[in-house]
Amino acid sequence: MMEPAVSLAVCALLFLLWVRVKGLEFVLIHQRWVFVCLFLLPLSLIFDIYYYVRAWVVFKLSSAPRLHEQRVRDIQKQVREWKEQGSKTFMCTGRPGWLTVSLRVGKYKKTHKNIMINLMDILEVDTKKQIVRVEPLVTMGQVTALLTSIGWTLPVLPELDDLTVGGLIMGTGIESSSHKYGLFQHICTAYELVLADGSFVRCTPSENSDLFYAVPWSCGTLGFLVAAEIRIIPAKKYVKLRFEPVQGLEAICAKFTHESQRQENHFVEGLLYSLDEAVIMTGVMTDEVEPGKLNSIGNYYKPWFFKHVENYLKTNREGLEYIPLRHYYHRHTRSIFWELQDIIPFGNNPIFRYLFGWMVPPKISLLKLTQGETLRKLYEQHHVVQDMLVPMKCLQQALHTFQNDIHVYPIWLCPFILPSQPGLVHPKGNEAELYIDIGAYGEPRVKHFEARSCMRQLEKFVRSVHGFQMLYADCYMNREEFWEMFDGSLYHKLREKLGCQDAFPEVYDKICKAARH
């Protein structure tokens, strides 16, 4: 027992000496994997265990519903105190910026009045009404762990364990089932908020409907979300997933559009490995498994999912696998899509997976906390993390634009139906329209990449086809361009009606680089 402990102590001592000689900033920038493997992976595991045990105990004791109303009253009290003190600055949630999944660092946290919102529990599961009621800091990991254990699931369950319900409502969320159900906001049936005057309000499509449709994408600038009701549907044990490699851009777009229009597909997703090479995946939920075709991809020693998918492309063969439902939902979590390969280059090596894969991934929040200003600026200039939502009919044109402006692969393709509803985001016409999320994450390979000019060019294209940019990412538009992309009519009407101008910044001022710098 002593020998491993002594070895670890010696390694830690040598690492600290190396840091002393080279400097912490050098190590964090040039040899980041050392810091991540030695410190962030174990720390992330401890965080996960703590939150899992806490959520289990709270739900079993049914203490969350009893404490919820008390916590909401405390938030109302904080808001009223802010008003009594003269409403001198804008308000925002007191949750530290580094805890969010967004790579953006919100500097407003230091200047605004921080309202502490400690709401992280599942309040109720009503299988008769097919509703789950949750607090805003509940994560997708919590939701899947609980719901799948009792035979239910969310119609749209966005990837990555640490995404919160509040972030997915105030921002947005999508998954490979969105071609059937829409974005995360479209499976929500009610929001509960504390407003700028400290009052409590519940809104649904029929009760306070203007506020219900204005809340999504508003980034906490209309009020503080304190609970949400979300639809649930019966779950099955597995996803029967088909893998189909497709060559040629025209064939890729035609096949992807066709599969996205087929309602019998529960899940549709594409991974584009170059402009004319992709694997298109379609899945259905099932309780049955064909012998020899079960693949538990979520096991820590399994290859990263995007690498596993790429094998079908390299061997030019179709495939059929049965994947446990929760494993499917979080298929990109371990490798943070494909971002982890830039942080731990050997992370998909079988030896590393078998020895240390059980600690992967490091928490995005801890990666943000420890990256430092120099590394953050390097990422900003040499790294792209963007999701652009464009009409499906513009897919081929959009992929050419992505190739020309940033040239990042793999690219994530996820279809979704966008209903014609009021709010910041809706189709150009009066009917629902099929859209696609094009997700680009990685190092641009276009010559002379310059973040601001290249992203502004991409944003210009997205506006021209009546598309939308996800607001978790860096946004380079000016105010006029931003409100050309998003419909602010209902949003601005409600900000005036609810007295938000002196209480919360406008969404543009909260998220756009032109406003923050």
Side-chain angles (χ1 to χ4, degrees):
M1 285 293 289
M2 286 296 293
E3 287 182 9
V6 171
S7 299
L8 282 173
V10 170
C11 288
L13 182 61
L14 289 172
F15 175 74
L16 292 172
L17 287 171
W18 184 43
V19 170
R20 180 78 182 263
V21 172
K22 288 286 190 180
L24 182 60
E25 187 173 72
F26 176 90
V27 173
L28 288 180
I29 292 172
H30 299 287
Q31 304 292 340
R32 199 165 189 225
W33 64 267
V34 179
F35 183 77
V36 169
C37 291
L38 287 180
F39 294 98
L40 295 195
L41 287 182
L43 199 56
S44 298
L45 185 67
I46 292 167
F47 267 63
D48 283 337
I49 292 170
Y50 167 74
Y51 282 116
Y52 176 82
V53 171
R54 183 193 177 282
W56 184 84
V57 170
V58 165
F59 191 78
K60 288 296 181 185
L61 296 178
S62 299
S63 61
R66 293 199 306 272
L67 295 174
H68 175 72
E69 290 183 15
Q70 178 185 322
R71 289 173 182 155
V72 171
R73 285 195 296 271
D74 179 60
I75 294 165
Q76 292 178 283
K77 181 183 174 187
Q78 292 179 69
V79 173
R80 289 180 183 130
E81 285 174 355
W82 166 83
K83 280 185 70 71
E84 290 164 7
Q85 292 164 5
S87 313
K88 294 173 185 175
T89 63
F90 290 137
M91 291 183 288
C92 67
T93 63
R95 191 181 187 216
W98 60 269
L99 273 174
T100 62
V101 172
S102 168
L103 295 179
R104 185 173 57 247
V105 178
K107 295 181 179 179
Y108 60 86
K109 295 279 186 183
K110 295 177 182 176
T111 56
H112 294 184
K113 169 67 175 176
N114 282 214
I115 303 297
M116 301 311 296
I117 297 179
N118 185 29
L119 300 170
M120 56 178 70
D121 295 316
I122 297 172
L123 300 173
E124 179 187 7
V125 179
D126 189 330
T127 54
K128 287 184 180 178
K129 292 182 180 177
Q130 298 198 3
I131 292 291
V132 60
R133 183 166 171 255
V134 299
E135 292 180 329
L137 295 180
V138 164
T139 67
M140 290 301 98
Q142 273 177 270
V143 170
T144 45
L146 175 68
L147 289 182
T148 54
S149 71
I150 57 174
W152 293 84
T153 186
L154 298 183
V156 177
L157 209 154
E159 183 65 62
L160 302 183
D161 282 6
D162 290 342
L163 291 171
T164 64
V165 167
L168 294 168
I169 291 169
M170 290 296 184
T172 192
I174 191 169
E175 237 307 326
S176 53
S177 56
S178 288
H179 67 293
K180 286 171 68 78
Y181 299 105
L183 299 171
F184 190 82
Q185 69 208 55
H186 299 127
I187 63 166
C188 296
T189 59
Y191 306 128
E192 297 171 21
L193 298 104
V194 171
L195 301 180
D197 61 357
S199 63
F200 171 85
V201 66
R202 184 176 186 271
C203 53
T204 70
S206 57
E207 175 189 5
N208 299 309
S209 60
D210 278 359
L211 183 58
F212 178 81
Y213 289 117
V215 161
W217 295 72
S218 66
C219 297
T221 60
L222 292 172
F224 294 109
L225 184 70
V226 293
E229 290 179 11
I230 310 167
R231 286 172 54 202
I232 57 175
I233 58 174
K236 295 188 177 180
K237 293 178 183 177
Y238 306 100
V239 174
K240 180 181 179 181
L241 193 64
R242 295 187 181 277
F243 302 80
E244 185 173 344
V246 186
Q247 309 284 341
L249 183 59
E250 197 171 318
I252 290 168
C253 295
K255 175 70 175 173
F256 195 78
T257 302
H258 172 70
E259 295 296 349
S260 301
Q261 292 169 336
R262 295 180 63 208
Q263 290 299 296
E264 56 265 41
N265 287 328
H266 294 164
F267 307 101
V268 179
E269 174 186 31
L271 294 185
L272 193 73
Y273 290 91
S274 73
L275 192 58
D276 57 0
E277 293 180 306
V279 177
I280 294 172
M281 289 160 279
T282 55
V284 294
M285 281 197 280
T286 179
D287 284 323
E288 308 298 324
V289 176
E290 293 179 39
K293 292 188 177 179
L294 177 64
N295 185 3
S296 301
I297 59 171
N299 291 341
Y300 69 87
Y301 50 82
K302 290 282 189 173
W304 289 348
F305 185 69
F306 79 98
K307 287 292 188 185
H308 173 63
V309 174
E310 191 176 18
N311 282 332
Y312 284 103
L313 187 65
K314 288 179 175 177
T315 56
N316 194 28
R317 62 187 174 90
E318 296 183 10
L320 175 65
E321 297 178 1
Y322 291 81
I323 299 171
L325 181 62
R326 190 156 186 248
H327 289 211
Y328 175 80
Y329 280 139
H330 299 292
R331 62 200 177 282
H332 294 299
T333 296
R334 276 192 303 125
S335 55
I336 317 178
F337 280 85
W338 30 93
E339 290 280 76
L340 197 58
Q341 67 182 350
D342 291 332
I343 299 167
I344 307 177
F346 47 82
N348 194 45
N349 183 286
I351 297 173
F352 181 85
R353 292 201 311 266
Y354 273 91
L355 293 178
F356 305 108
W358 50 278
M359 290 193 288
V360 170
K363 284 200 169 296
I364 294 173
S365 54
L366 295 179
L367 290 170
K368 277 177 66 178
L369 180 65
T370 58
Q371 70 180 357
E373 189 64 16
T374 304
L375 190 59
R376 189 189 67 77
K377 287 180 178 176
L378 278 172
Y379 254 71
E380 191 176 291
Q381 281 303 318
H382 304 288
H383 203 85
V384 165
V385 179
Q386 291 284 349
D387 283 84
M388 298 293 187
L389 315 180
V390 299
M392 184 68 81
K393 63 190 177 190
C394 304
L395 176 57
Q396 191 166 334
Q397 184 186 1
L399 293 178
H400 271 296
T401 304
F402 269 72
Q403 162 98 355
N404 295 335
D405 289 348
I406 56 176
H407 197 146
V408 169
Y409 293 100
I411 279 179
W412 190 52
L413 303 177
C414 186
F416 69 100
I417 191 73
L418 185 60
S420 180
Q421 295 176 348
L424 285 157
V425 171
H426 56 75
K428 194 171 185 179
N430 295 320
E431 294 183 355
E433 185 174 352
L434 191 61
Y435 269 63
I436 182 166
D437 174 5
I438 304 176
Y441 325 118
E443 189 172 337
R445 296 201 292 269
V446 67
K447 286 184 180 178
H448 312 300
F449 175 79
E450 197 280 318
R452 186 178 183 277
S453 60
C454 290
M455 287 314 307
R456 279 187 57 75
Q457 190 69 22
L458 192 57
E459 289 168 346
K460 182 180 179 182
F461 165 76
V462 173
R463 288 197 306 276
S464 74
V465 297
H466 197 74
F468 308 95
Q469 179 178 23
M470 280 199 188
L471 300 184
Y472 78 89
D474 281 333
C475 174
Y476 293 84
M477 291 181 282
N478 62 37
R479 195 178 302 272
E480 184 181 351
E481 292 164 342
F482 183 84
W483 290 117
E484 180 188 334
M485 179 179 282
F486 297 97
D487 180 358
S489 53
L490 179 62
Y491 172 77
H492 289 302
K493 181 181 118 179
L494 278 167
R495 273 179 62 81
E496 187 176 347
K497 178 183 175 182
L498 300 174
C500 296
Q501 287 99 329
D502 297 325
F504 307 105
E506 187 185 287
V507 61
Y508 175 80
D509 295 306
K510 194 169 182 180
I511 64 100
C512 285
K513 295 185 76 65
R516 293 182 291 117
H517 294 284

PDB file of all heavy atoms in Angstrom, residues 270-286:
ATOM      1  N   GLY A 270     -25.587  13.508 -37.937  1.00  0.00           N
ATOM      2  CA  GLY A 270     -24.527  13.301 -38.913  1.00  0.00           C
ATOM      3  C   GLY A 270     -23.204  13.821 -38.398  1.00  0.00           C
ATOM      4  O   GLY A 270     -23.152  14.822 -37.675  1.00  0.00           O
ATOM      5  N   LEU A 271     -22.131  13.126 -38.730  1.00  0.00           N
ATOM      6  CA  LEU A 271     -20.768  13.617 -38.462  1.00  0.00           C
ATOM      7  C   LEU A 271     -20.081  13.773 -39.807  1.00  0.00           C
ATOM      8  O   LEU A 271     -19.928  12.807 -40.558  1.00  0.00           O
ATOM      9  CB  LEU A 271     -19.991  12.655 -37.560  1.00  0.00           C
ATOM     10  CG  LEU A 271     -20.492  12.496 -36.124  1.00  0.00           C
ATOM     11  CD1 LEU A 271     -19.537  11.612 -35.323  1.00  0.00           C
ATOM     12  CD2 LEU A 271     -20.657  13.837 -35.432  1.00  0.00           C
ATOM     13  N   LEU A 272     -19.685  15.002 -40.105  1.00  0.00           N
ATOM     14  CA  LEU A 272     -19.034  15.337 -41.376  1.00  0.00           C
ATOM     15  C   LEU A 272     -17.526  15.388 -41.131  1.00  0.00           C
ATOM     16  O   LEU A 272     -17.050  16.217 -40.355  1.00  0.00           O
ATOM     17  CB  LEU A 272     -19.548  16.695 -41.867  1.00  0.00           C
ATOM     18  CG  LEU A 272     -19.240  17.118 -43.298  1.00  0.00           C
ATOM     19  CD1 LEU A 272     -20.076  16.311 -44.286  1.00  0.00           C
ATOM     20  CD2 LEU A 272     -19.522  18.611 -43.478  1.00  0.00           C
ATOM     21  N   TYR A 273     -16.776  14.496 -41.774  1.00  0.00           N
ATOM     22  CA  TYR A 273     -15.329  14.414 -41.541  1.00  0.00           C
ATOM     23  C   TYR A 273     -14.529  15.204 -42.570  1.00  0.00           C
ATOM     24  O   TYR A 273     -13.351  15.482 -42.376  1.00  0.00           O
ATOM     25  CB  TYR A 273     -14.892  12.956 -41.509  1.00  0.00           C
ATOM     26  CG  TYR A 273     -15.401  12.241 -40.276  1.00  0.00           C
ATOM     27  CD1 TYR A 273     -16.629  11.583 -40.289  1.00  0.00           C
ATOM     28  CD2 TYR A 273     -14.679  12.252 -39.090  1.00  0.00           C
ATOM     29  CE1 TYR A 273     -17.122  10.947 -39.157  1.00  0.00           C
ATOM     30  CE2 TYR A 273     -15.158  11.616 -37.953  1.00  0.00           C
ATOM     31  CZ  TYR A 273     -16.386  10.969 -37.991  1.00  0.00           C
ATOM     32  OH  TYR A 273     -16.863  10.349 -36.856  1.00  0.00           O
ATOM     33  N   SER A 274     -15.134  15.530 -43.692  1.00  0.00           N
ATOM     34  CA  SER A 274     -14.586  16.454 -44.688  1.00  0.00           C
ATOM     35  C   SER A 274     -15.779  16.945 -45.493  1.00  0.00           C
ATOM     36  O   SER A 274     -16.915  16.506 -45.250  1.00  0.00           O
ATOM     37  CB  SER A 274     -13.554  15.765 -45.597  1.00  0.00           C
ATOM     38  OG  SER A 274     -14.193  14.892 -46.511  1.00  0.00           O
ATOM     39  N   LEU A 275     -15.557  17.819 -46.453  1.00  0.00           N
ATOM     40  CA  LEU A 275     -16.679  18.399 -47.187  1.00  0.00           C
ATOM     41  C   LEU A 275     -17.474  17.341 -47.957  1.00  0.00           C
ATOM     42  O   LEU A 275     -18.651  17.538 -48.235  1.00  0.00           O
ATOM     43  CB  LEU A 275     -16.186  19.497 -48.131  1.00  0.00           C
ATOM     44  CG  LEU A 275     -17.259  20.388 -48.763  1.00  0.00           C
ATOM     45  CD1 LEU A 275     -18.088  21.088 -47.695  1.00  0.00           C
ATOM     46  CD2 LEU A 275     -16.646  21.404 -49.716  1.00  0.00           C
ATOM     47  N   ASP A 276     -16.859  16.223 -48.282  1.00  0.00           N
ATOM     48  CA  ASP A 276     -17.592  15.208 -49.053  1.00  0.00           C
ATOM     49  C   ASP A 276     -17.547  13.821 -48.412  1.00  0.00           C
ATOM     50  O   ASP A 276     -17.720  12.813 -49.081  1.00  0.00           O
ATOM     51  CB  ASP A 276     -17.057  15.145 -50.495  1.00  0.00           C
ATOM     52  CG  ASP A 276     -15.573  14.848 -50.551  1.00  0.00           C
ATOM     53  OD1 ASP A 276     -14.955  14.690 -49.476  1.00  0.00           O
ATOM     54  OD2 ASP A 276     -15.026  14.774 -51.668  1.00  0.00           O
ATOM     55  N   GLU A 277     -17.346  13.760 -47.086  1.00  0.00           N
ATOM     56  CA  GLU A 277     -17.349  12.472 -46.369  1.00  0.00           C
ATOM     57  C   GLU A 277     -18.111  12.618 -45.059  1.00  0.00           C
ATOM     58  O   GLU A 277     -17.784  13.489 -44.245  1.00  0.00           O
ATOM     59  CB  GLU A 277     -15.922  12.018 -46.055  1.00  0.00           C
ATOM     60  CG  GLU A 277     -15.077  11.645 -47.249  1.00  0.00           C
ATOM     61  CD  GLU A 277     -13.692  11.211 -46.800  1.00  0.00           C
ATOM     62  OE1 GLU A 277     -13.043  11.985 -46.076  1.00  0.00           O
ATOM     63  OE2 GLU A 277     -13.263  10.109 -47.155  1.00  0.00           O
ATOM     64  N   ALA A 278     -19.102  11.781 -44.876  1.00  0.00           N
ATOM     65  CA  ALA A 278     -19.893  11.850 -43.648  1.00  0.00           C
ATOM     66  C   ALA A 278     -20.408  10.477 -43.263  1.00  0.00           C
ATOM     67  O   ALA A 278     -20.464   9.560 -44.085  1.00  0.00           O
ATOM     68  CB  ALA A 278     -21.067  12.809 -43.829  1.00  0.00           C
ATOM     69  N   VAL A 279     -20.775  10.348 -41.996  1.00  0.00           N
ATOM     70  CA  VAL A 279     -21.525   9.181 -41.531  1.00  0.00           C
ATOM     71  C   VAL A 279     -22.848   9.699 -40.986  1.00  0.00           C
ATOM     72  O   VAL A 279     -22.867  10.576 -40.118  1.00  0.00           O
ATOM     73  CB  VAL A 279     -20.773   8.394 -40.452  1.00  0.00           C
ATOM     74  CG1 VAL A 279     -21.628   7.222 -39.959  1.00  0.00           C
ATOM     75  CG2 VAL A 279     -19.434   7.890 -40.975  1.00  0.00           C
ATOM     76  N   ILE A 280     -23.939   9.179 -41.518  1.00  0.00           N
ATOM     77  CA  ILE A 280     -25.267   9.580 -41.075  1.00  0.00           C
ATOM     78  C   ILE A 280     -25.841   8.464 -40.213  1.00  0.00           C
ATOM     79  O   ILE A 280     -25.815   7.289 -40.602  1.00  0.00           O
ATOM     80  CB  ILE A 280     -26.178   9.886 -42.280  1.00  0.00           C
ATOM     81  CG1 ILE A 280     -25.643  11.128 -43.019  1.00  0.00           C
ATOM     82  CG2 ILE A 280     -27.620  10.119 -41.831  1.00  0.00           C
ATOM     83  CD1 ILE A 280     -26.329  11.424 -44.318  1.00  0.00           C
ATOM     84  N   MET A 281     -26.325   8.842 -39.026  1.00  0.00           N
ATOM     85  CA  MET A 281     -26.829   7.873 -38.061  1.00  0.00           C
ATOM     86  C   MET A 281     -28.311   8.086 -37.808  1.00  0.00           C
ATOM     87  O   MET A 281     -28.752   9.221 -37.610  1.00  0.00           O
ATOM     88  CB  MET A 281     -26.054   7.992 -36.748  1.00  0.00           C
ATOM     89  CG  MET A 281     -24.621   7.495 -36.832  1.00  0.00           C
ATOM     90  SD  MET A 281     -23.589   8.175 -35.501  1.00  0.00           S
ATOM     91  CE  MET A 281     -23.181   9.792 -36.155  1.00  0.00           C
ATOM     92  N   THR A 282     -29.070   7.016 -37.833  1.00  0.00           N
ATOM     93  CA  THR A 282     -30.497   7.062 -37.519  1.00  0.00           C
ATOM     94  C   THR A 282     -30.790   6.007 -36.467  1.00  0.00           C
ATOM     95  O   THR A 282     -30.259   4.895 -36.520  1.00  0.00           O
ATOM     96  CB  THR A 282     -31.357   6.798 -38.770  1.00  0.00           C
ATOM     97  OG1 THR A 282     -30.971   5.546 -39.357  1.00  0.00           O
ATOM     98  CG2 THR A 282     -31.176   7.906 -39.800  1.00  0.00           C
ATOM     99  N   GLY A 283     -31.638   6.355 -35.505  1.00  0.00           N
ATOM    100  CA  GLY A 283     -31.901   5.419 -34.415  1.00  0.00           C
ATOM    101  C   GLY A 283     -33.351   5.383 -33.996  1.00  0.00           C
ATOM    102  O   GLY A 283     -34.098   6.352 -34.197  1.00  0.00           O
ATOM    103  N   VAL A 284     -33.750   4.249 -33.425  1.00  0.00           N
ATOM    104  CA  VAL A 284     -35.080   4.109 -32.823  1.00  0.00           C
ATOM    105  C   VAL A 284     -34.911   3.457 -31.455  1.00  0.00           C
ATOM    106  O   VAL A 284     -34.019   2.630 -31.251  1.00  0.00           O
ATOM    107  CB  VAL A 284     -36.031   3.260 -33.692  1.00  0.00           C
ATOM    108  CG1 VAL A 284     -36.340   3.965 -35.001  1.00  0.00           C
ATOM    109  CG2 VAL A 284     -35.452   1.871 -33.958  1.00  0.00           C
ATOM    110  N   MET A 285     -35.768   3.825 -30.506  1.00  0.00           N
ATOM    111  CA  MET A 285     -35.724   3.197 -29.186  1.00  0.00           C
ATOM    112  C   MET A 285     -36.349   1.802 -29.254  1.00  0.00           C
ATOM    113  O   MET A 285     -37.323   1.589 -29.983  1.00  0.00           O
ATOM    114  CB  MET A 285     -36.452   4.055 -28.157  1.00  0.00           C
ATOM    115  CG  MET A 285     -35.636   5.241 -27.668  1.00  0.00           C
ATOM    116  SD  MET A 285     -36.268   5.972 -26.137  1.00  0.00           S
ATOM    117  CE  MET A 285     -37.613   6.981 -26.758  1.00  0.00           C
ATOM    118  N   THR A 286     -35.779   0.887 -28.495  1.00  0.00           N
ATOM    119  CA  THR A 286     -36.272  -0.489 -28.500  1.00  0.00           C
ATOM    120  C   THR A 286     -35.928  -1.173 -27.177  1.00  0.00           C
ATOM    121  O   THR A 286     -35.004  -0.740 -26.468  1.00  0.00           O
ATOM    122  CB  THR A 286     -35.650  -1.290 -29.669  1.00  0.00           C
ATOM    123  OG1 THR A 286     -36.124  -2.627 -29.635  1.00  0.00           O
ATOM    124  CG2 THR A 286     -34.131  -1.302 -29.588  1.00  0.00           C
TER     125      THR A 286
END
